[in-house]
Amino acid sequence: MTPIYPGSVDAAGQRATLGVLGGGQLGRMFVHAAQRLGYFTAVLEPDAQSPAGLVSHHHIQTNYDDPTGLAQLAQLCQAITTEFENVPAQALQTLARTRPVAPGAAVVGIAQNRIEEKAHFTACADVSGVNCAPYAVIETLAQLQAVQADRADLLPGILKTARMGYDGKGQVRLKTSAELAAAWAELGGVACVLEKMLPLTAECSVLVARGWDGQVVSFAPQRNVHVDGILAVTHAYEENMPPALATRARDAAVSIAHHLGYVGVLCVEFFVVDDGSEHGVLVVNEMAPRPHNSGHYTLDACDASQFDLQVHAMAGLPLPQPRQHSPAIMLNLLGEVWFDASGQLREPDWHAVLSLPGTHLHLYGKVQARAGRKMGHLTITGPDVASVKTVARRAAGLLGLLGLDAI
């Protein structure tokens, strides 16, 4: 691919413009990164008040599969990406006929379907050195009955919808064969995977950026804490997990990206499972074909963020190996932060929070706070891990955040 340089103007007088499908906070941070380099930006998003659409040079307010809107996006942009995996793969295929699209429709399609995703992880396990949890596919009543009869080894387990499951949605924990049948009915009898429940000791993720030419760079693994299926805390510092596990996770994520022929930023999430060994064993959980909530700390703790690398990868620019200059802890800010104990709407005590050293507040421009809605994040950086943990505890206490037992 011929690089698209920031600030360039083509023969028709059009400025170099990068496009994104989706107008949420990930799109907003992508837009900011692209604009900082000097690109114009275009967002295709049906919501008139979307976080990304409000800050972009162009906002095409249509559905993701609208032919007219897609044609307008392709006309405006020299390259296009997506901010989330649940855009129609057909839309990416349509755009790819005339413009570079990263990541491509085929890869996004794999990430949209847990069945295909797990098949991919299994196919590249010999190369990556990491497999997924034992599982079975349930798409029909016959498959459900076969699992009930022959796969008792998968119980207790977690039944997950193959599509549209995120932040703990579309998942049911169960212990018995009878509960499995009830859970499948509860989920609507749609295609699912049943995963064996494993003895987890930790969760982590790795961010990888891969270019059109196959060049790969990556961030060190970050350790994550979830509350009710939603990311609450990310620990990003050298001592956050045993070095051998960190190296294995990083190498596995790079192998998975190469196996996919991936272009763009990819997040691979892992479980650390207690297998009786000193540090446990890694199991790959899922992947996100985009920047990820757990990588938001890179905006403040690294010399190149995950969004900078997203821009570089899609535009065909060189990929610098990012350097983390400060230990960091990221606290997710959900809508609950905007309500007091009695459920009354109130403004968080930003004065007290921002008085703490090393705090970096990022709000996403969402007008209405709702329970479980990602409204922003707070990253704490400092000269050493101890000081970062101390400030993070104080900030989390001021905001009433959960997940503190792991800080």
Side-chain angles (χ1 to χ4, degrees):
M1 172 184 168
T2 302
I4 304 162
Y5 291 110
S8 60
V9 181
D10 65 17
Q14 181 170 320
R15 294 180 177 273
T17 303
L18 303 180
V20 58
L21 284 172
Q25 63 267 17
L26 296 176
R28 181 186 182 95
M29 288 180 271
F30 162 80
V31 165
H32 283 153
Q35 290 176 347
R36 188 171 59 253
L37 267 176
Y39 292 101
F40 275 39
T41 58
V43 171
L44 190 150
E45 161 63 47
D47 182 2
Q49 298 299 313
S50 70
L54 291 173
V55 300
S56 184
H57 293 91
H58 306 280
H59 178 192
I60 302 168
Q61 191 184 343
T62 67
N63 292 326
Y64 303 125
D65 57 358
D66 177 66
T68 302
L70 293 172
Q72 186 179 354
L73 187 68
Q75 192 277 327
L76 282 171
C77 301
Q78 282 72 55
I80 298 161
T81 188
T82 179
E83 71 130 19
F84 69 125
E85 55 267 43
N86 287 324
V87 297
Q90 182 59 49
L92 297 174
Q93 291 176 338
T94 298
L95 292 166
R97 295 189 189 116
T98 57
R99 291 290 182 264
V101 174
V107 175
V108 173
I110 292 173
Q112 288 177 343
N113 189 318
R114 292 185 192 277
I115 297 172
E116 294 184 26
E117 183 180 60
K118 289 186 179 300
H120 168 72
F121 290 150
T122 302
C124 68
D126 288 343
V127 177
S128 70
V130 177
N131 216 324
C132 52
Y135 74 97
V137 174
I138 299 176
E139 296 178 285
T140 66
L141 179 59
Q143 286 176 320
L144 171 68
Q145 293 169 340
V147 170
Q148 288 177 308
D150 303 324
R151 296 302 308 271
D153 60 303
L154 295 179
L155 300 175
I158 307 175
L159 188 67
K160 301 179 179 181
T161 57
R163 291 184 176 273
M164 302 302 289
Y166 62 96
D167 289 342
K169 298 178 176 65
Q171 301 185 16
V172 181
R173 294 173 178 261
L174 49 94
K175 296 180 180 180
T176 68
S177 178
E179 288 177 356
L180 171 59
W184 192 56
E186 178 186 334
L187 293 173
V190 298
C192 292
V193 294
L194 174 65
E195 293 180 16
K196 181 178 178 63
M197 198 175 298
L198 301 172
L200 307 187
T201 61
E203 299 180 57
C204 67
S205 56
V206 178
L207 290 155
V208 172
R210 186 175 185 273
W212 297 95
D213 59 357
Q215 181 194 3
V216 174
V217 297
S218 61
F219 294 93
Q222 47 269 347
R223 180 165 58 87
N224 303 318
V225 178
H226 291 79
V227 175
D228 296 330
I230 302 177
L231 181 66
V233 183
T234 292
H235 298 259
Y237 42 82
E238 194 170 340
E239 309 96 310
N240 68 353
M241 58 189 299
L245 275 182
T247 298
R248 201 172 305 150
R250 202 167 186 169
D251 290 347
V254 170
S255 295
I256 289 168
H258 279 311
H259 194 267
L260 286 165
Y262 193 85
V263 178
V265 169
L266 176 72
C267 180
V268 184
E269 297 181 73
F270 299 91
F271 296 138
V272 182
V273 177
D274 182 4
D275 67 343
S277 61
E278 182 181 4
H279 300 306
V281 65
L282 281 177
V283 170
V284 61
N285 177 34
E286 60 187 23
M287 62 183 180
R290 51 169 172 78
H292 192 262
N293 200 171
S294 66
H296 289 345
Y297 76 93
T298 62
L299 289 163
D300 303 299
C302 300
D303 58 6
S305 76
Q306 60 174 342
F307 301 99
D308 294 327
L309 295 184
Q310 184 183 24
V311 173
H312 278 240
M314 68 181 291
L317 303 181
L319 292 174
Q321 174 57 49
R323 179 183 64 88
Q324 185 169 347
H325 51 70
S326 303
I329 290 176
M330 190 278 295
L331 305 176
N332 220 8
L333 304 178
L334 303 181
E336 287 87 341
V337 173
W338 277 257
F339 294 88
D340 63 20
S342 63
Q344 296 300 307
L345 190 65
R346 49 91 173 178
E347 193 68 18
D349 190 355
W350 299 129
H351 183 88
V353 171
L354 296 176
S355 296
L356 300 173
T359 53
H360 310 269
L361 178 63
H362 298 261
L363 297 183
Y364 302 150
K366 297 179 180 179
V367 177
Q368 184 179 10
R370 296 194 302 268
R373 191 181 197 193
K374 294 175 182 176
M375 300 294 293
H377 68 271
L378 182 74
T379 300
I380 297 94
T381 59
D384 53 67
V385 175
S387 62
V388 168
K389 287 184 175 182
T390 296
V391 173
R393 290 189 189 100
R394 293 173 63 187
L398 288 166
L399 295 169
L401 301 176
L402 300 176
L404 296 184
D405 53 339
I407 294 181

